[in-house]
Amino acid sequence: MVSSSHEALHQIFQKDPTLLTKALQKVLHVPFPEPREFAALNVDLTEIEPVERRVDTLLRAETDEGTYLLVVESQGKVDDRKRGSWPYYLSYLYEKYRCEPVLIVITQSSRTERWAARPIRLGFPGWESLTVRPLVLGPDNVPVIADEKQAELDVPLAVLSAMTHGRGPQAPAILESLAAALRTIDPDSAAVFVQFVDSCLTDPQAKQMWRDLMTAVQYFWRHPLAEQVREEGREQGLEQGLEQGREEGRAEAKAEMVLRVLEWRGIPVPDSVRECVSTCTDLGQLEVWAQRAVHATDAAELFDTE
């Protein structure tokens, strides 16, 4: 099964395609032309029924210098099978769309980053018939954004920084800066970015810190229900009611986030699913659904029992 971390690493570019060209230009220093328009394309590259090939994210970028296909692959570890599949993807896409394909690999591992950056050369040494040079984004070249003001200037890039550096020693400063910066953008976008980061954090302490920050800042304290409950608690002096209200606010905010992620990814949400998620008060269950929403292909997959 594909991990939520894997999905988040490439789907961040579906949420904000401009971040992809920005990373090419500012991180990898590739003079990629500024796109006028982006379009998400079908990621399925299957040709023959028994052989299924699928890229992680595929975007078409229209620029003044031509049309490019941006092929984004999330790579968790070294996998020598990519020596065959990546050239296949690029050749197939060029044949299908007659546009120049650009392979971009994103990883959280320095070792994988160095491996993926090596050119793939197929053919006789010195007279290769095909050479593939992936453009790689990882912890060795994505900037560390650990300053609140810097994070506010470019929130999507700060999100990418948290996703690629989330298990390093600077993770606490990165996460604190991003948490503050998220308060400066619209809540819907912030909620999606929050889930991407949460999915990519593999270090238990970093993940817990992020969730604590989001509980204190994003998920609850800015939620309208939270202010209402706090006011009622002040007037009535009911500490127990305030604590219950906190839980209700967290649950409602988490449920809204699950539905937003599905809707943003273009996945239809039937009324039955919407009602089930909206009325759930179990934070543990909502967290499971939030993780599944990042990589689900159908809203019903939220309720898979496996």
Side-chain angles (χ1 to χ4, degrees), residues 11-20 22 154 156 193 264:
Q11 288 184 354
I12 182 67
F13 299 116
Q14 296 177 21
K15 167 62 180 173
D16 189 345
T18 61
L19 175 60
L20 190 54
K22 189 183 304 179
D154 198 331
F193 285 147
W264 166 75

Side-chain angles (χ1 to χ4, degrees), residues 202-221:
T202 56
D203 179 80
Q205 290 184 327
K207 184 181 283 285
Q208 187 58 52
M209 175 186 176
W210 180 243
R211 292 182 178 181
D212 290 343
L213 285 168
M214 292 301 97
T215 299
V217 179
Q218 185 70 20
Y219 285 161
F220 178 68
W221 294 114

Side-chain angles (χ1 to χ4, degrees), residues 108-128:
Q108 295 175 297
S109 163
S110 294
R111 179 171 179 264
T112 304
E113 180 180 348
R114 292 189 294 270
W115 162 80
R118 299 172 189 165
I120 299 172
R121 296 185 173 91
L122 302 179
F124 186 75
W127 298 89
E128 290 80 5

Side-chain angles (χ1 to χ4, degrees), residues 11-56:
Q11 288 184 354
I12 182 67
F13 299 116
Q14 296 177 21
K15 167 62 180 173
D16 189 345
T18 61
L19 175 60
L20 190 54
T21 53
K22 189 183 304 179
L24 294 179
Q25 296 164 352
K26 296 184 177 181
V27 177
L28 299 179
H29 306 293
V30 175
F32 192 86
E34 200 66 39
R36 298 189 305 271
E37 180 184 354
F38 282 100
L41 303 179
N42 192 333
V43 298
D44 195 343
L45 308 185
T46 304
E47 276 192 288
I48 304 173
E49 189 65 26
V51 181
E52 181 177 334
R53 296 185 185 271
R54 192 177 293 269
V55 298
D56 288 334

Side-chain angles (χ1 to χ4, degrees), residues 272-274 276-277 285 289 292 299-306:
S272 58
V273 172
R274 186 179 301 277
C276 184
V277 173
Q285 182 62 71
W289 290 344
R292 291 176 180 172
E301 291 179 22
L302 292 182
F303 312 124
D304 285 351
T305 56
E306 295 184 1

